[in-house]
Amino acid sequence: SVRTQVELLIAKENELGKREADLAERLADLGPRERAMERMCRKREQELVAKEDDFAQRHAQFEAESQKLKQDQQQIQAREEAVAAQEESQQALGVKLEAEAARLTALEADQVRRTEE
């Protein structure tokens, strides 16, 4: 059976050839599909990067606006404190004026009394 072995080897070789051809065909089919999937993945990746950039930009804008609001609140608080200090100062001035008016009234009364004496 050398002849039988040769025939078996030829049959195996033919079978391997068919399998190789089948694999090559399957690889050819996979090629366009894989390229299409790769393009789709790249497109999605670009979309995600764009969304991340947009998010980062919006976040930076939000942070800037938040910082501006904090500054505005600090300015408002400083103004409120200044107004409160001014009101206290005016009240103190009012008290001084009333005291001065009372003193002047007392002096006037004292002068009227002295003049009558």
Side-chain angles (χ1 to χ4, degrees), residues 4 10 13 18 23 25 38-39 44 47 60 69 71 77 79 82 87 101 108 114-115 117:
T4 309
I10 289 172
E13 200 173 298
K18 285 179 187 176
L23 281 174
E25 188 178 312
E38 187 179 341
R39 280 193 303 270
R44 284 187 181 168
E47 289 171 355
L69 281 175
Q71 289 174 349
Q77 186 176 356
R79 285 179 185 161
E87 287 174 344
E108 193 178 325
R114 281 187 194 168
T115 308
E117 289 176 357

Side-chain angles (χ1 to χ4, degrees), residues 17-113:
K18 285 179 187 176
R19 287 168 80 188
E20 282 178 343
D22 184 45
L23 281 174
E25 188 178 312
R26 285 166 67 194
L27 280 174
D29 284 347
L30 283 178
R33 268 191 256 148
E34 285 178 337
R35 284 192 296 273
M37 286 180 74
E38 187 179 341
R39 280 193 303 270
M40 188 174 68
C41 286
R42 255 189 265 128
K43 182 180 176 184
R44 284 187 181 168
E45 184 178 8
Q46 288 171 347
E47 289 171 355
L48 282 175
V49 167
K51 284 181 181 180
E52 287 174 350
D53 290 346
D54 183 53
F55 175 79
Q57 186 178 9
R58 286 183 184 192
H59 183 70
Q61 186 177 1
F62 171 79
E63 286 296 322
E65 289 174 2
S66 176
Q67 204 58 30
K68 175 80 170 92
L69 281 175
K70 285 179 185 175
Q71 289 174 349
D72 289 350
Q73 285 176 334
Q74 289 172 345
Q75 287 177 349
I76 289 170
Q77 186 176 356
R79 285 179 185 161
E80 287 175 342
E81 290 171 1
V83 166
Q86 224 172 11
E87 287 174 344
E88 286 178 21
S89 174
Q90 285 178 351
Q91 283 178 343
L93 188 59
V95 168
K96 283 181 182 178
L97 286 174
E98 286 177 12
E100 185 65 17
R103 188 181 71 80
L104 288 174
T105 302
L107 275 176
E108 193 178 325
D110 190 41
Q111 276 183 342
V112 168
R113 190 177 38 90

